[in-house]
Amino acid sequence: MIHSTVHENEITVIRPGVERLTAVNAKAFKDDVAGLIDAGAGMLVIDFSQTSFLDSSGLGALAGILKKIGHRGELVVCGLNPDVSQMFKICRMDRVFTIYQDEAAALQALSEKA
């Protein structure tokens, strides 16, 4: 389901691989990302640029991923379209997650922390 790419400084960029992250596929998304964390990925960028819709199940999956990574690493998101961004704001997840405009900005910010 997910598509991931490892960049320099061991930063992993993850794309959900679906246009709509909903109750139908949120658990599979969470499980796939959890597998990457279990395999040692600690610096994660989740790029939502190809995701046009996210519901509360998708946000719940993200919260679960954040809990799993804990203090072992960092998780940021990027590429939010207006609808997805609005969902983050409505649910106040924009206060929980660090959000970057695009993948390049997220990679630069995490590289500076590595």
Side-chain angles (χ1 to χ4, degrees):
M1 175 179 171
I2 66 171
H3 306 285
S4 63
T5 309
V6 179
H7 292 266
E8 61 185 69
N9 297 323
E10 300 296 313
I11 299 170
T12 302
V13 176
I14 299 165
R15 289 167 196 84
V18 293
E19 189 176 329
R20 299 172 57 85
L21 187 57
T22 65
V24 172
N25 50 24
K27 183 179 181 331
F29 169 73
K30 179 182 170 186
D31 292 345
D32 288 352
V33 177
L36 290 175
I37 294 168
D38 289 341
M43 301 285 274
L44 304 178
V45 175
I46 300 184
D47 181 358
F48 285 106
S49 61
Q50 301 300 312
T51 303
S52 63
F53 181 79
L54 178 79
D55 71 2
S56 59
S57 297
L59 285 175
L62 270 180
I65 293 165
L66 185 61
K67 182 177 179 183
K68 179 154 186 78
I69 202 162
H71 297 293
R72 296 180 286 174
E74 184 141 3
L75 170 66
V76 301
V77 298
C78 70
L80 306 184
N81 75 28
D83 292 335
V84 173
S85 180
Q86 184 66 19
M87 184 60 133
F88 269 75
K89 289 175 185 168
I90 289 169
C91 296
R92 297 184 178 255
M93 288 297 181
D94 58 332
R95 297 179 183 196
V96 175
F97 292 94
T98 303
I99 301 170
Y100 293 96
Q101 182 70 27
D102 55 30
E103 180 182 323
L107 286 171
Q108 181 178 348
L110 287 184
S111 291
E112 292 171 2
K113 293 181 180 186

